[in-house]
């Protein structure tokens, strides 16, 4: 696959997402920007309510990046998919803006 990354400085620079993912965990919680794989993995472990295939895939993708076996865009894509499925995705520049909770995005 990718092999291991050389040096801690390089690993740190590769763990950040190119663009943040904006989520909102609860209806009364503030929006939160997720900037890196470490934060995404932590959110997947602590804040997701149910174990779904997309959540498992996102966790696996994050772990591969943290182990130096994959690059951050793969983990970001998987995290966005899991956040969308869990209805916590609020912003991602590669997708159209999400409608606020309790509203329809259809006009």
């Amino acid at each position: 696959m990718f092999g291991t990354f050389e040096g801690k400085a390089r690993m740190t620079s590769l763990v950040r997402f190119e663009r943040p993912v904006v989520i909102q965990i609860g209806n009364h919680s503030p929006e939160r920007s997720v900037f890196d794989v470490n934060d995404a993995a932590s959110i997947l472990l602590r804040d997701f309510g149910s174990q779904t295939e997309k959540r498992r895939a996102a966790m696996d993708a994050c772990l591969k990046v943290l182990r130096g076996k994959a690059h951050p865009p793969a983990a970001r894509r998987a995290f966005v998919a899991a956040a969308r499925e869990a209805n916590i995705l609020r912003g991602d520049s590669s997708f159209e803006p999400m409608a606020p909770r309790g509203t329809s995005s259809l006009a």
Side-chain angles (χ1 to χ4, degrees):
M1 232 152 127
F2 290 100
T4 59
F5 297 123
E6 300 287 329
K8 187 173 182 171
R10 183 160 182 196
M11 180 67 171
T12 301
S13 67
L14 290 172
V15 173
R16 288 186 63 85
F17 292 146
E18 186 176 309
R19 295 175 320 278
V21 178
V22 180
I23 62 169
Q24 184 179 20
I25 301 294
N27 287 330
H28 302 291
S29 300
E31 288 185 348
R32 178 175 175 185
S33 294
V34 180
F35 292 95
D36 59 57
V37 175
N38 295 320
D39 199 17
S42 177
I43 290 165
L44 288 163
L45 284 172
R46 290 182 319 199
D47 299 322
F48 271 56
S50 60
Q51 184 74 279
T52 68
E53 189 58 37
K54 287 185 181 181
R55 178 182 178 229
R56 278 189 284 276
M59 196 67 235
D60 287 345
C62 288
L63 289 173
K64 284 180 182 176
V65 171
L66 293 172
R67 291 177 180 149
K69 303 291 184 188
H71 294 289
R76 186 183 187 283
R77 283 189 301 272
F79 181 72
V80 166
R84 180 174 288 244
E85 177 184 62
N87 197 31
I88 65 169
L89 183 66
R90 293 293 161 258
D92 175 27
S93 60
S94 63
F95 293 99
E96 291 190 25
M98 300 294 292
R101 287 189 183 186
T103 64
S104 173
S105 60
L106 301 174

